[in-house]
Amino acid sequence: MGRGVTGRSGSVVRRPRSGALLVVGDVVTDIVARHRGPLAAGTDTASVIRTLPGGAGANVACWAAHWGCADVRLLGRVGAEAVAWHERELIDRRVRPRLVVDPEATTGTVICLVDTGAAAERTFLTDSGASLRLDPGDWSDSLLDGVGRLHLSGYLLFSASGRALVRTASASARARGVPVSLDPASAGFLVELGVERFLALVQGVDVLLPSRDEACLLTGLPDGADAAAALSRHVPLVVAKQGADGALVARDGAVTARIPAVPATPRDTTGAGDAFTGAFLTALLAGAEPGDAAAEGCRAGARAVERVGGRPPGPGDEPASTAGRSAPADGSTETTARATTTRSTAEDGAAPTVRTSPAD
């Protein structure tokens, strides 16, 4: 057996295979409002509000790089008003972004309401903006040059152009023998898409990474383990995130591993699943077995919930147990107040442009 490598958590995995991780998915601006207790309807609720870079696809890429993946690439679509900021934030976290600038739509925005008195559970208000306007025209087979794994954000499935891109990218990956993973992304949006439609769209995917709620929704089964096992009859490998109960690994209609959660004191659960996915895929690329890779995912998820926002720390950030960086160029900062946001629109009629930035 070849010499192993040591993961970020200290565990040893087999010698890494060659190949980058390519993530295709959403890049959005998160407005995180942390409050305690129920919202006061019709009046003010005191909150701590921050503007942070986010998006499930972008978060996965950042956590993969943070967890030790040496070459992480991201294809996403943003508006002109925020491209420079998002590009800087990704490069700071050692991700190589290829950002398509939408000529009409502004960058997607998500308002994350985090109840600090309810285990930091969160509710999202989502304006997808440019993020779901990725389409097959933004894809090039050359994006797979040197890639060992392709990961697709499930948010792409919630627009017609995104679904077309998923089909195009997946077919290209299969032709090259590149394994494909997908995270269903949102139980709420899955209800609108429909279970049968989703299962048809993920045919050919090698790894599915649902949450417990998503797995139960997709199978109609109330038990998380039964749901994961059932999904593994459709997808070769299912790794179902179970929140405080850890994770389940399922193959061929049976649960093959139960991974315990790592203790943590949650401040904000936004991005915990993305952190799990980024670390899991990094470990797979390094040669780990799925159970060991899922254990890495649980460790990353535990670190993520102790931070505010969905990203790992970047250069100059405070330690992971304290708030993450606040960084938009518009000067927004941590504030105890209500938030009102205005959004500009890029000029109509221009063709989309692509900004590709090498990692340092």
Side-chain angles (χ1 to χ4, degrees), residues 157 163 167 189-203 214 217-220 231 234:
L157 299 178
R163 290 189 290 271
R167 287 190 287 266
F189 285 165
L190 280 175
V191 171
E192 297 180 24
L193 181 67
V195 171
E196 295 303 320
R197 196 176 185 189
F198 174 86
L199 293 176
L201 286 165
V202 299
Q203 287 184 2
E214 291 157 0
L217 173 63
L218 289 169
T219 60
L231 277 177
H234 297 273

Side-chain angles (χ1 to χ4, degrees), residues 131-148:
S131 65
L132 295 193
R133 289 164 59 95
L134 272 170
D135 62 38
D138 300 325
W139 176 260
S140 168
D141 287 347
S142 65
L143 290 170
L144 289 173
D145 291 348
V147 167

Side-chain angles (χ1 to χ4, degrees), residues 12-300:
V12 177
V13 297
R14 294 194 300 273
R15 180 184 292 276
R17 299 190 298 268
S18 61
L21 173 65
L22 172 62
V23 180
V24 180
D26 45 319
V27 180
V28 306
T29 299
D30 284 344
I31 300 172
V32 181
R34 300 174 68 239
H35 61 94
R36 187 172 186 84
L39 295 175
T43 186
D44 295 344
T45 298
S47 306
V48 177
I49 300 173
R50 303 194 69 183
T51 301
L52 299 166
N59 291 345
V60 167
C62 290
W63 278 101
H66 182 71
W67 220 251
C69 188
D71 188 353
V72 184
R73 311 170 190 179
L74 172 70
L75 173 64
R77 194 173 180 109
V78 296
E81 86 293 343
V83 60
W85 175 50
H86 280 293
E87 194 173 64
R88 284 197 310 272
E89 291 289 330
L90 291 163
I91 293 171
D92 279 352
R93 285 161 176 78
R94 300 188 301 280
V95 174
R96 296 170 59 186
R98 179 182 174 91
L99 300 182
V100 179
V101 181
D102 195 290
E104 298 177 2
T106 51
T107 303
T109 301
V110 176
I111 298 176
C112 311
L113 304 177
V114 181
D115 186 348
T116 61
E121 282 301 321
R122 72 273 190 267
T123 300
F124 298 138
L125 302 175
T126 302
D127 177 355
S128 298
S131 65
L132 295 193
R133 289 164 59 95
L134 272 170
D135 62 38
D138 300 325
W139 176 260
S140 168
D141 287 347
S142 65
L143 290 170
L144 289 173
D145 291 348
V147 167
R149 283 191 171 273
L150 170 65
H151 178 71
L152 302 170
S153 170
Y155 280 108
L156 295 170
L157 299 178
F158 305 132
S159 70
S161 63
R163 290 189 290 271
L165 174 59
V166 165
R167 287 190 287 266
T168 298
S170 297
S172 181
R174 286 194 296 271
R176 292 199 183 200
V178 175
V180 180
S181 57
L182 185 140
D183 186 327
S186 168
F189 285 165
L190 280 175
V191 171
E192 297 180 24
L193 181 67
V195 171
E196 295 303 320
R197 196 176 185 189
F198 174 86
L199 293 176
L201 286 165
V202 299
Q203 287 184 2
V205 167
D206 301 280
V207 184
L208 190 67
L209 293 132
S211 68
R212 174 168 41 203
D213 288 348
E214 291 157 0
C216 291
L217 173 63
L218 289 169
T219 60
L221 298 171
D223 180 75
D226 291 343
L231 277 177
S232 70
R233 298 187 182 97
H234 297 273
V235 179
L237 175 63
V238 173
V239 181
K241 296 163 281 190
Q242 305 293 296
D245 293 325
L248 301 169
V249 179
R251 289 182 183 272
D252 301 320
V255 172
T256 60
R258 296 173 181 265
I259 313 301
V262 173
T265 302
R267 299 182 67 213
D268 177 6
T269 56
T270 303
D274 303 330
F276 179 102
T277 297
F280 172 82
L281 294 174
T282 295
L284 282 189
L285 275 169
E289 294 296 329
D292 294 329
E296 291 293 312
C298 287
R299 294 183 184 100

